[in-house]
Amino acid sequence: MNVCFLASSTDQIPNDLTIAEEEQDLPKEIKEKKKKGQLRTGLTTGTTASAATKAALYTLLTKKIVHEIQVTLPKGMMVKLPIKWTQVTHSSVTCAVIKDGGDDPDVTHGAEICSTVEFTSDIGTIQIEGGVGVGKVTKPGLGLPIGSWAINPVPMKMIKDSVNEILTSIAPSPSSVGLRITIAVPKGAELALKTDNPRLGILGGISILGTTGIVLPYSTASFAAAIRQGLDVGIAQKADTFILTTGGRSEDFMKKLLGDKYPDHCYVQMGDFAGYSVKQCHDKGVKKIFIGGFIGKLTKIAMGVKQTHVRGSHVSMDFMAQLAREAGASEEIINLILNANTARHVSEIIDSHSTTGFYNLVCREAARQLESYSGKDLKIEVILFDFEGKLAGRFST
């Protein structure tokens, strides 16, 4: 890969706040890189699938095989990925790209992701579907229709954007072309058994994921160093209030909610490490923090989970049902929640039954848990967004 992202870690994490709860299970080479203070960031399955698609379409239109291809990430950054192999038939082209997850211990690292592009008679349409090794959605609460391929919205848009780039630059009339694109992961079904996909109802393969196109090494101390660095930069500019978010989307939503009240250096992405981030704010003398996120991560925080990576913890439906009961939900709703598939599924149940106050209670419990890292002298305000960015709940200590 022609682009390499590096994150450094120079400080030891306190023993009582281990960032990676499963750190002892990391591959040996990652542990060695941690000792040296450098960890490499990779690219998502969505970025990899986009590259394979773009290369296949280019070859289909030009009859020229390429050995690398450039794709644009959601935030505008461009990266080049090598093409592993290309197969040409009389009616289609298939390209394969190896998924490079950097130093994040993800089961899809090294997986071969393929895209087959072929013309169809359905002029002016682009059909994108899954093939061998890509899972199908069989349960609610995942933000995708039941029966659909497990290709998330951002990767779907990246694939379409990559196709449009090629069509606009090469095809004589982009609207006169009909295409079918099939994303496949030859070992996807095997890899999926090592993930939470079967439990979540994604069957037959892996998901094509990614919101930024980039894989950060979340389960490593390098992310803790980035959190500390972000806080130190803000404090050096006299900031005493910080907005901690679980990721890029929640940060964007917090900026819309708070407007111009706080400059960019007040925003820090804490990822999965809420407890560690709050303790760092307390130790560095910060006066107030906002915590912004969505139902899944904030529920885990409310449950007292220190590290909210999906592989290290699960949302308790009993816990969510208890909060719903406190909010006045009927026994019918309680039973639906107890049998829900995901935290997002619970939110769909709550929204469809207009259970007032449930999200505020999630925020309250999250704030109470985070106080255990900071004491009463750090003011904490927790804000929960729905998946469209609408304010759903909030609570201040």
Side-chain angles (χ1 to χ4, degrees):
M1 185 179 297
N2 291 5
V3 177
C4 180
F5 306 92
L6 295 176
S8 63
S9 173
T10 56
D11 299 315
Q12 184 67 34
I13 303 302
N15 290 331
D16 60 336
L17 281 172
T18 301
I19 287 300
E21 293 180 342
E22 300 179 5
E23 186 175 356
Q24 67 273 14
D25 296 326
L26 296 183
K28 181 180 179 181
E29 63 269 21
I30 293 180
K31 293 181 180 179
E32 291 300 318
K33 289 180 180 180
K34 285 183 63 178
K35 291 178 182 178
K36 296 177 182 178
Q38 289 189 325
L39 287 159
R40 191 171 60 86
T41 301
L43 299 173
T44 63
T45 50
T47 299
T48 310
S50 298
T53 300
K54 191 172 183 181
L57 179 57
Y58 179 86
T59 299
L60 183 67
L61 292 174
T62 66
K63 311 301 181 185
K64 298 177 182 178
I65 293 176
V66 294
H67 300 290
E68 65 177 12
I69 199 76
Q70 180 173 280
V71 295
T72 304
L73 303 182
K75 294 291 186 179
M77 182 184 295
M78 294 183 178
V79 293
K80 285 184 179 179
L81 289 82
I83 308 304
K84 179 67 174 178
W85 54 260
T86 299
Q87 182 180 72
V88 180
T89 72
H90 71 281
S91 61
S92 69
V93 174
T94 301
C95 284
V97 177
I98 302 300
K99 197 263 193 181
D100 183 354
D103 288 324
D104 191 62
D106 184 272
V107 298
T108 62
H109 176 70
E112 192 174 78
I113 297 181
C114 308
S115 180
T116 299
V117 182
E118 56 191 321
F119 292 119
T120 70
S121 59
D122 196 1
I123 303 302
T125 65
I126 300 172
Q127 304 170 41
I128 302 174
E129 55 192 43
V132 173
V134 174
K136 269 201 168 184
V137 177
T138 67
K139 291 184 180 181
L142 296 168
L144 291 170
I146 292 176
S148 68
W149 296 101
I151 304 175
N152 279 19
V154 172
M156 185 70 77
K157 184 178 185 301
M158 288 181 67
I159 293 170
K160 289 180 179 177
D161 288 347
S162 292
V163 168
N164 287 328
E165 282 183 38
I166 295 294
L167 291 179
T168 301
S169 62
I170 296 177
S173 177
S175 61
S176 66
V177 175
L179 296 173
R180 178 183 295 109
I181 298 162
T182 305
I183 307 299
V185 184
K187 294 186 178 180
E190 176 185 340
L191 293 173
L193 298 178
K194 302 176 182 179
T195 73
D196 277 343
N197 276 13
R199 181 183 65 84
L200 297 176
I202 299 173
L203 303 183
I206 67 167
S207 307
I208 305 301
L209 302 172
T211 56
T212 64
I214 295 172
V215 175
L216 295 174
Y218 281 100
S219 297
T220 67
S222 63
F223 201 78
I227 291 170
R228 295 195 301 275
Q229 184 180 50
L231 294 173
D232 289 342
V233 168
I235 291 170
Q237 298 183 69
K238 310 301 182 184
D240 61 6
T241 299
F242 283 89
I243 301 91
L244 307 179
T245 63
T246 55
R249 288 181 65 214
S250 51
E251 179 176 299
D252 290 342
F253 293 153
M254 285 296 291
K255 286 180 176 179
K256 289 180 182 178
L257 178 68
L258 299 175
D260 298 329
K261 187 173 182 180
Y262 299 99
D264 282 345
H265 61 252
C266 292
Y267 289 82
V268 175
Q269 291 188 25
M270 64 181 181
D272 298 299
F273 313 123
Y276 177 82
S277 301
V278 171
K279 187 176 188 304
Q280 286 294 307
C281 287
H282 170 267
D283 293 349
K284 294 177 183 294
V286 174
K287 292 183 178 179
K288 178 177 179 178
I289 56 172
F290 293 90
I291 304 289
F294 303 101
I295 184 69
K297 293 290 174 67
L298 289 185
T299 299
K300 289 182 181 181
I301 293 171
M303 290 164 52
V305 175
K306 294 180 180 180
Q307 200 265 39
T308 57
H309 192 284
V310 67
R311 292 188 301 174
S313 57
H314 300 293
V315 170
S316 167
M317 297 307 159
D318 289 338
F319 176 82
M320 300 191 85
Q322 180 181 343
L323 292 185
R325 185 175 282 112
E326 184 178 347
S330 67
E331 285 305 310
E332 176 188 2
I333 297 174
I334 299 301
N335 288 330
L336 288 173
I337 291 173
L338 288 172
N339 290 285
N341 185 37
T342 63
R344 183 169 185 153
H345 189 191
V346 172
S347 71
E348 293 169 359
I349 294 168
I350 292 293
D351 293 343
S352 64
H353 291 83
S354 302
T355 306
T356 304
F358 173 81
Y359 296 119
N360 290 339
L361 293 179
V362 173
C363 293
R364 182 196 71 188
E365 293 305 305
R368 288 177 175 176
Q369 290 291 342
L370 293 175
E371 273 190 327
S372 66
Y373 297 95
S374 64
K376 299 289 186 180
D377 52 337
L378 175 62
K379 185 172 178 58
I380 300 173
E381 182 166 350
V382 180
I383 293 175
L384 190 154
F385 294 101
D386 68 15
F387 294 97
E388 301 300 320
K390 180 181 177 182
L391 177 65
R394 71 193 306 170
F395 181 85
S396 297
T397 60

